[in-house]
Amino acid sequence: MRIVAGTYHVEMDGGKWLECSLRGRVKQKVGRQVSVGDLVRVERLDDGSCRIADLLPRRSALSRHGVVRRREQVIVANVDQVAAVAAMASPSPDFSMINRLLVLAELNEVDGFVVLNKADLAAGAADEPAAIPADFQPYREAGYEILVTSAKGGRGLEELRERLIGRITVFSGSSGVGKSSLLNSLMPGLDLRVGEVGQRKGRGRHTTVAAALYPFPEGGYVADTPGLQYLALWDVDARALGHSFPEFREPAEECRFADCVHRAEPGCAVREAVKAGAIASGRYESYQALLREAEEGR
Ligand code: GDP
Ligand code: ZN
């Protein structure tokens, strides 16, 4: 559930939590770190203390690629989905951050979707479903689900709950969009201070991302991953990056060069699609920025 100064907080079947150490040979045996979200086997020692004796296989992981000594650094194991949370207004959406989060989901081959909160602040009658702003249509067209919510008015909370039950969800987005408020209304008793989720660590390229899981009453977990929204993309292959924008995939097949990274190459069908308005220019600009970042990182 969380790892604090070498102590592993493990939720047992049945919901009881134990504080465990890590048996030295677990690391050697599997050659990888035990991360938040991992399934482990715990043993009780003669002195009554508990330790992790074995690490079970992962079905997925959200990781920053190859940052630490060329090793994969897993942020959360067994992640099912990433929710990129934004607000209709106040603050206005940070699209480059939303794109970064969705790319992170794609690179790690987990589901990504958008939560558009503060629907109560959108223009229009309160009893009408809030229209998805034009700026968000490209996400829809790229195949991402958009859940419109209001932590204040309660709109969309049931749909969000359904989406979270039984899964491990990474919930991330700019400060102030309402992440703590949404989780508080979905997880009574959680009592996150409003403004708390993901705000404990500084921002920047070298942000450390320490995760913790919050159990969802109906099953499933929400992962708090401070700093994830600022995570720099390192060691990411340019082709993999292009592929992590779903709307690029089809046009990319028509690019003249098979290894086209859709920058200045002649005969680039992705750039053609941007010019023709079939790919949103904002998404393409984010792609270019991430491409530069990935290349610098390498
Ligand atoms: P976080 O930084 O993403 O965790 O955002 P918080 O949950 O701390 O919310 C930031 C501010 O937005 C607080 O003042 C909340 O009361 C407010 N807020 C959160 N959700 C909503 C909402 O759906 N509608 C409105 N109008 N305000 C909200
Ligand atoms: Zn191309």
Side-chain angles (χ1 to χ4, degrees), residues 106-181:
E106 297 284 344
L107 288 171
N108 287 281
E109 298 180 333
V110 303
D111 248 12
F113 65 103
V114 177
V115 176
L116 194 44
N117 189 40
K118 307 202 187 187
D120 55 294
L121 297 183
D127 54 347
E128 264 174 39
I132 292 180
D135 285 349
F136 281 88
Q137 287 301 341
Y139 295 93
R140 246 215 184 146
E141 283 153 23
Y144 293 109
E145 190 180 350
I146 302 177
L147 295 184
V148 177
T149 63
S150 167
K152 280 258 161 75
R155 174 183 289 169
L157 293 184
E158 278 318 304
E159 287 91 329
L160 181 57
R161 183 194 305 279
E162 299 256 300
R163 185 80 210 228
L164 301 183
I165 287 174
R167 299 179 165 123
I168 297 185
T169 307
V170 166
F171 219 68
S172 191
S174 308
S175 170
V177 296
K179 298 180 296 296
S180 313
S181 306

Side-chain angles (χ1 to χ4, degrees), residues 208-246:
T208 16
V209 183
L213 292 188
Y214 297 110
F216 203 58
E218 291 94 338
Y221 303 86
V222 171
D224 178 16
T225 50
L228 186 75
Q229 67 272 38
Y230 305 117
L231 193 69
L233 297 181
W234 296 87
D235 246 9
V236 172
D237 175 67
R239 297 257 302 148
L241 188 63
H243 211 69
S244 64
F245 284 73

Side-chain angles (χ1 to χ4, degrees), residues 252 255 260-263 265 267-271:
C255 291
C260 187
V261 296
H262 324 307
R263 192 162 28 204
E265 297 92 335
C268 172
V270 168
R271 274 190 303 130

Side-chain angles (χ1 to χ4, degrees), residues 67-117:
V67 190
V68 178
R69 283 178 246 109
R70 304 247 143 234
R71 251 220 245 124
E72 185 186 39
Q73 186 191 344
V74 171
I75 300 160
V76 188
N78 297 312
V79 170
D80 296 294
Q81 52 187 4
V82 173
V85 190
M88 287 265 189
S90 173
S92 50
D94 179 342
F95 290 103
S96 70
M97 186 182 291
I98 297 167
N99 293 335
R100 181 182 297 272
L101 288 168
L102 294 176
V103 162
L104 199 64
E106 297 284 344
L107 288 171
N108 287 281
E109 298 180 333
V110 303
D111 248 12
F113 65 103
V114 177
V115 176
L116 194 44
N117 189 40

